[in-house]
Amino acid sequence: MKQRLLVAAVGVPALLVILLALPPFATTVLVCLIAGIAAYELLHTAAKQPRPIVYVLTIACALVCVWNAELSEIVFPIAAFLLLTALCLIAVLTHGKENAMPFSDVSLCMLAGVVFPVMYSCIAYLRQTGRVLVLMPFVIAFVGDSASMLGGMAFGGKKLSPYVSPNKTVSGFVCGPIGSALGMVILGLIEKAVWSFTIPLWYLAVIGVVANLFGQLGDLTTSLIKREVGVKDYSHLFLTHGGMLDRFDSTLFIAPVVYAMMFLAEAIV
């Protein structure tokens, strides 16, 4: 418990400073750090025959995919193509040998080096749009996770996915979106007072509900990977909180949903 409180006491203020007080460039650097470490954790946890060069190429591509937010041109498809080409070449050249790289590792590297980083990069794009938006994925994730945990503890009941995440319940699944919606409404009231935010509160609540559902899928997805390889955490980067993917699993799926729904806001509201 002391370790958890220590991580929260240091991490939350630092996150707020980077997201709100520093220029958008700082958020992009932070997201690069998240995506790069997450890529390493995923390969270290689930890859069957990881090689040093594979780590380097995958993490480098992850950084390019996120850094694309700072560029005027879309360059991450080039990085993705080069990564795929290099991985396929390694898989072909090593096939039939004792340390052959299975094609499942190729797919895993593309997930770690391209798909996940592009999803994470939506956080950087939200910050470039404005301070009022970048907090949304984190509020939805953290408040929703807390509401889900408390709801599960209070009401109990049927397990949501006992073979993937035994502690999650259907009651927690229902309470999560409610908590995220309330969190978004409170955030909206604060942003209206501080930054004259104009998006209606009802739409923020809808974003909270929809994004939370995707976030719970992200949580279950990363848990499924851990179940398949038989580990509890991706790393111990945050002490008892686990690794980067353990802490930012739901945010991974939430950020793109928030980004998309904020663009749809002009047409809807």
Side-chain angles (χ1 to χ4, degrees):
M1 181 60 71
K2 289 183 179 180
Q3 289 183 338
R4 287 179 174 269
L5 293 175
L6 175 62
V7 171
V10 174
V12 173
L15 181 65
L16 291 176
V17 168
I18 293 172
L19 295 179
L20 300 179
L22 298 181
F25 171 83
T27 298
T28 303
V29 172
L30 173 65
V31 179
C32 279
L33 185 65
I34 293 173
I37 295 176
Y40 171 83
E41 289 179 345
L42 187 57
L43 293 187
H44 183 70
T45 300
K48 294 182 175 64
Q49 289 288 347
R51 289 171 166 76
I53 186 61
V54 171
Y55 277 107
V56 172
L57 293 174
T58 303
I59 293 173
C61 186
L63 297 179
V64 171
C65 288
V66 174
W67 195 255
N68 194 92
E70 293 293 323
L71 306 176
S72 58
E73 303 292 335
I74 299 178
V75 300
F76 77 84
I78 300 174
F81 173 73
L82 293 176
L83 175 62
L84 179 60
T85 301
L87 294 172
C88 288
L89 180 62
I90 294 172
V92 169
L93 293 177
T94 61
H95 182 68
K97 299 180 180 179
E98 183 179 354
N99 62 342
M101 179 179 180
F103 198 79
S104 60
D105 278 8
V106 175
S107 302
L108 185 71
C109 289
M110 294 304 294
L111 186 68
V114 180
V115 180
F116 280 6
V118 169
M119 295 166 72
Y120 275 131
S121 70
C122 292
I123 299 172
Y125 286 112
L126 286 169
R127 177 61 182 88
Q128 290 179 352
T129 305
R131 292 184 179 89
V132 294
L133 304 183
V134 73
L135 288 178
M136 292 182 180
F138 299 99
V139 168
I140 293 171
F142 297 153
V143 176
D145 286 350
S146 299
S148 181
M149 180 184 67
L150 294 174
M153 293 171 59
F155 302 109
K158 184 179 178 181
K159 299 295 183 181
L160 177 64
S161 183
Y163 296 109
V164 175
S165 188
N167 293 327
K168 294 187 182 299
T169 61
V170 173
S171 58
F173 172 79
V174 173
C175 290
I178 297 174
S180 290
L182 292 175
M184 284 291 285
V185 169
I186 294 172
L187 179 64
L189 291 172
I190 295 173
E191 290 178 337
K192 285 179 180 292
V194 177
W195 290 298
S196 300
F197 194 53
T198 58
I199 300 296
L201 294 179
W202 69 264
Y203 189 70
L204 295 180
V206 171
I207 293 177
V209 171
V210 175
N212 178 275
L213 294 175
F214 280 90
Q216 292 196 55
L217 176 60
D219 191 346
L220 290 170
T221 300
T222 54
S223 294
L224 173 61
I225 296 172
K226 290 187 291 184
R227 286 288 171 191
E228 288 190 346
V229 298
V231 299
K232 182 179 182 295
D233 295 317
Y234 282 99
S235 75
H236 299 290
L237 179 65
F238 298 114
L239 305 178
T240 56
H241 281 270
M244 193 67 75
L245 270 176
D246 295 295
R247 289 298 89 205
F248 294 96
D249 49 4
S250 57
T251 311
L252 170 68
F253 279 62
I254 289 171
V257 176
V258 173
Y259 185 69
M261 293 191 71
M262 288 309 301
F263 269 92
L264 290 174
E266 294 184 5
I268 296 177
V269 301

